[in-house]
């Protein structure tokens, strides 16, 4: 089985814990979505490059609103490219995160769906999806072959 999930409450340190894990696993790629200052960013694990992700509501850019947050549409496209590239070149692909947009089939979902469907059929590629705790049941209904990922301190 090649699909794993890592779940926990909002702001519980999931991304921080994965950031540390990735430092010791050079075969990992994909995306993390850490807060940098007061904005959410996309971190391309493959290149260690940060990409603007969250924007303010008054910026006149193409964006998607989720609750009080606004995210750049172009960043979802770039994130999907990174996810795809990582899956084909790395042993581990990290997808941070499967949230409300993905549950609705938007955000990173098109590429997550594609990658997870491929991962089910391979033994040499592993995908780790970060899932909000309150969305875990929905995630597991869509991807029942997923297994939990446990991090030991």
């Amino acid at each position: 089985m090649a699909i794993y999930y890592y779940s926990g409450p909002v702001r519980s340190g999931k991304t921080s814990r994965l950031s540390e894990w990735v430092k010791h696993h050079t075969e990992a790629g994909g995306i993390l979505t850490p807060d940098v200052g007061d904005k959410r960013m996309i971190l391309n694990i493959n290149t260690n490059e940060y990409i603007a992700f969250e924007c303010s509501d008054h910026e006149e850019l193409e964006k998607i609103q989720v609750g009080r947050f606004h995210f750049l549409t172009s960043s979802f496209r770039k994130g999907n490219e990174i996810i795809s590239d990582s899956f084909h070149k790395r042993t581990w692909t990290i997808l941070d995160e499967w949230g409300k947009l993905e549950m609705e089939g938007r955000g990173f979902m098109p590429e997550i769906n594609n990658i997870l469907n491929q991962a089910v059929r391979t033994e040499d590629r592993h995908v780790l999806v970060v899932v909000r705790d309150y969305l875990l049941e929905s995630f597991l209904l869509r991807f029942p072959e997923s297994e939990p990922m446990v991090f030991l301190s």
Side-chain angles (χ1 to χ4, degrees), residues 56-144:
S56 64
D57 62 345
H58 63 271
E59 291 181 75
E60 294 189 24
L61 301 166
E62 188 178 346
K63 57 193 166 208
I64 297 173
Q65 183 173 351
V66 182
R68 63 182 175 96
F69 299 101
H70 298 84
F71 298 101
L72 297 167
T73 305
S74 61
S75 297
F76 284 105
R77 287 191 294 270
K78 180 66 175 166
N80 280 330
E81 291 171 11
I82 295 166
I83 291 165
S84 178
D85 183 61
S86 177
F87 183 77
H88 293 97
K89 294 180 180 175
R90 304 286 180 121
T91 304
W92 280 91
T93 299
I94 312 298
L95 309 171
D96 181 14
E97 73 181 7
W98 197 83
K100 291 179 184 178
L101 284 175
E102 289 72 25
M103 192 172 75
E104 298 170 356
R106 302 185 305 150
F108 296 119
M109 187 54 184
E111 197 55 39
I112 289 176
N113 196 49
N114 180 34
I115 294 303
L116 293 181
N117 285 331
Q118 290 180 55
V120 170
R121 298 186 305 267
T122 183
E123 292 297 320
D124 64 337
R125 297 281 188 264
H126 308 288
V127 179
L128 174 56
V129 183
V130 177
V131 182
R132 296 262 172 113
D133 60 346
Y134 60 89
L135 297 174
L136 183 57
E137 187 175 334
S138 296
F139 177 81
L140 292 174
L141 286 172
R142 288 189 188 196
F143 306 104

Side-chain angles (χ1 to χ4, degrees), residues 38-52:
D38 63 345
K39 296 280 189 204
R40 180 73 42 105
M41 302 285 283
I42 292 176
L43 172 61
N44 180 341
I45 299 168
N46 307 336
T47 64
N48 210 32
E49 170 192 11
Y50 285 91
I51 301 161

